Every structure is written in structure tokens, then in C-alpha cells.
Amino acid sequence: MPTITEPKLISGNANMPLANAITRRMSMHRGMSQKLVDARVERFNDQEIFVEVYENVRGEDMFIIQSTSNPANDNLMELLIISDALRRSSAARITAVVPYFGYARQDRRTKARTPISAKLVANMMVEAGIERVLTMDLHAAQIQGFFDIPVDNLYASPIFALDILHQFKDSLGDVMVVSPDVGGVARARELAKRINAPLAIVDKRREKPGEIAEMTVIGNVSGKKCIIVDDICDTAGTLCKAAEVLMEHGATEVHSYITHGVLSGPAVERITNSVMKSLVISDSIEPTDAVKAAPNIRILPTAPMFAQAILNIWHGTSVSSLFENETLAPIYEGIL
């Protein structure tokens, strides 16, 4: 269906490099210049957030690019206030492009008298005027049901699959995909299916939160190049311990592919000193200088996928087509 309005992109301060990369990719796809809407997102002296949009957005199809990563509360408030500013400026539609959806780990009540913060965040986003959400690798897929608006959840596994097929092209027969816990088996199985590799599981048991009492490997990893796949790496304690256990069980190499590199606290130091040969993350969260300098951390770009997804939403065509290697491979040609 032909569209009269142009897609217009605006960004908060959470990940400006990714926002600029998305506009560059969209410029390539469309054969015309695509720039971020001129705006300022600033803080008063008391840290209140203020937004001013300098361009006319009346009747426009608006896309706000903003991960709700650390500092999660500041970035979330920026997203909400930008949306409110656009709604009050008569934008035709507001889509939140949230590469990393914060608070997603609080998706259920784990014990009495605890919140479901992911649902609260969903309510706040809808109340602020957001009419559609585009995100990647939600920690829990059921969060899509917390919204009464369309939610497009992209997957990093097709990008990871393309990279693995390139990096391990001479030894694919030795590759084994590993889930670091039972809860991540579906994600690991999806990647294993894409690269035609076997699957193993590391079963961990905790005595109390933050402490891992015991790890057991389910599957024979002897002589294999193990690839741990997960959606979030925070302090990297579990990841580094899982790598050690796999090496103890006979793995020749351990690599990790993690969608969202939160990498807080001692994470980078742990990864640098670990037995892991490499950690591959996406740029859904802006990497710190320490992450960029780490010798065994590599960053894959998500801008090509998000740029195409935004164009598909604008055109009213399928976003799920980006889940297929055949569709994604041309977009990433020359990048991976």
C-alpha cells in the first residue's frame, strides 16, 4: 500500500552510534539521505529530562531509537518523554525501536510481594503514545503479550548463524552449540538448527541468587568447539564458569555468542582472563571503551537488520522475513 509520509527517525542518548548507523543503512537502501530528526534531549541541573524537537513532525511516521540499557531509568524516561513530545506534535504514528528492552528480566513474580516490572514498563510506553514496538531478543517472549499494541521481536540468531558459518567454515563439523541453562534451550536449539550442529546443555543449580553451586554438562562435548549462546551477559560469572566446565569436559575451544552485552561490574575483566577464546556480542547496547579494548570481545552490527525492519514497517511489509538466512544474508554481505 503506497505511503504518503516519510519515515522519520529520532534518537535518545542511549546509543547514538547505533542510531546513526541505522540512518546510514536506510540511506543506502533508499538511495536518498536519511538523517535523524533535529532535536535536543538534555537534562536540567536537577537531572530532569527535557526534549525539544526542532523539525515539523505533524502527520509523520516516527521511529524513536532508544535502548533502555544502563542507566536504565534515565534512558526509559528519555524514551517516554520523546514519545510524549511527538504525540503532542501530532505525529501520525510512533514506533519505539528498542534494541535492548530493559526490565525484561522482571517478567514474572518470582516470590511473594515482588513486582512484574516488565508489565509496568509496557503500560508506561503505551500511555506515552507509543503505538508499536520493535525490539530484539526479548529475555522472555511472553513480554510481547504485556502490550496491547503490535510488538516485533527480532532475533539475533540469524546474524550469529551467518557469522559462525563464516568464522568456522573450515571446522563446522566440530562445532557444538551449548545452552548455559535449561531455560535457554529453545534459543540454543534455534541456532543449532540454522548451522546444522548438535546441542548440549549446561545445567546450573544455585544455592542462592548470584552464587552457582554446581554445574553439570548434558551432552558429550569432548573434542568439540563449543559455542555458548544466550540473550544477556551481565556480570559474566555464569558464562565464564560454564566455559571452564566445558573445557574440563574435553572441549577444545569455547566461544560465546550473546545478544545483549550488559557487561556490568567485573564482567570485562572476567572475560579477558577467562578460558573463552572469544565473546561475540551485538551493538544493541553501546559498548564501553573497556569492551572495545578487550582482546577477546567482538561486536556484530545490528544496524542493517534494524534499518530493513524499519523500512518494512513503514512499507507495511513483513518483518518476519528477516528471520530467514536467505533474506538476511544479502543485507550483511561484505559486513560479516
Side-chain angles (χ1 to χ4, degrees), residues 2 59 71 100 116 160 163 169 191-192 194 199 209 216 232 259 261 295-296 308 321 327:
Y100 171 68
I116 305 178
F160 289 166
D163 189 72
K169 57 187 174 186
L191 180 61
R194 287 179 182 275
L199 178 66
T216 307
I232 296 174
T259 307
N296 58 343
Q308 190 62 56
S321 62
T327 310

Side-chain angles (χ1 to χ4, degrees), residues 33-221:
S33 178
Q34 179 83 53
K35 295 182 179 179
L36 292 173
V37 166
D38 190 15
R40 64 175 173 138
V41 183
E42 297 177 349
R43 280 161 179 72
F44 293 130
N45 290 334
D46 63 355
Q47 298 305 300
E48 282 186 9
I49 295 164
F50 175 73
V51 172
E52 184 176 4
V53 182
Y54 294 124
E55 297 180 26
N56 179 26
V57 297
R58 183 179 297 275
E60 299 289 358
D61 198 358
M62 299 299 304
F63 294 84
I64 309 171
I65 303 170
Q66 178 80 338
S67 282
T68 51
S69 50
N70 184 35
N73 297 333
D74 285 3
N75 288 330
L76 175 60
M77 281 304 297
E78 279 190 11
L79 173 63
L80 300 176
I81 293 171
I82 292 170
S83 178
D84 187 70
L86 295 176
R87 180 180 61 171
R88 294 178 188 277
S89 303
S90 303
R93 180 176 65 172
I94 301 170
T95 300
V97 181
V98 190
Y100 171 68
F101 189 95
Y103 284 103
R105 285 176 280 184
Q106 299 182 44
D107 63 303
R108 64 194 185 282
R109 296 186 68 191
T110 53
K111 57 183 74 173
R113 296 174 296 281
T114 57
I116 305 178
S117 303
K119 172 59 177 167
L120 175 62
V121 170
N123 290 347
M124 292 166 68
M125 289 172 68
V126 173
E127 189 62 31
I130 291 166
E131 298 168 64
R132 190 182 196 102
V133 176
L134 174 63
T135 187
M136 184 169 69
D137 272 355
L138 280 170
H139 182 66
Q142 66 265 23
I143 291 173
Q144 294 172 86
F146 292 177
F147 291 88
D148 291 324
I149 57 175
V151 177
D152 293 304
N153 184 30
L154 300 177
Y155 298 104
S157 58
I159 307 174
F160 289 166
L162 291 172
D163 189 72
I164 291 167
L165 292 171
H166 175 69
Q167 296 291 331
F168 298 90
K169 57 187 174 186
D170 297 326
S171 56
L172 276 174
D174 298 330
V175 168
M176 174 172 268
V177 175
V178 179
S179 172
D181 52 44
V182 175
V185 170
R187 183 180 294 104
R189 187 188 295 120
E190 168 68 16
L191 180 61
K193 184 179 176 182
R194 287 179 182 275
I195 62 173
N196 196 26
L199 178 66
I201 303 167
V202 175
D203 179 35
K204 65 173 182 278
R205 301 183 186 185
R206 297 180 190 267
E207 293 292 337
K208 57 183 179 180
E211 290 188 10
I212 301 164
E214 181 185 357
M215 278 189 166
T216 307
V217 178
I218 303 171
N220 182 13
V221 299

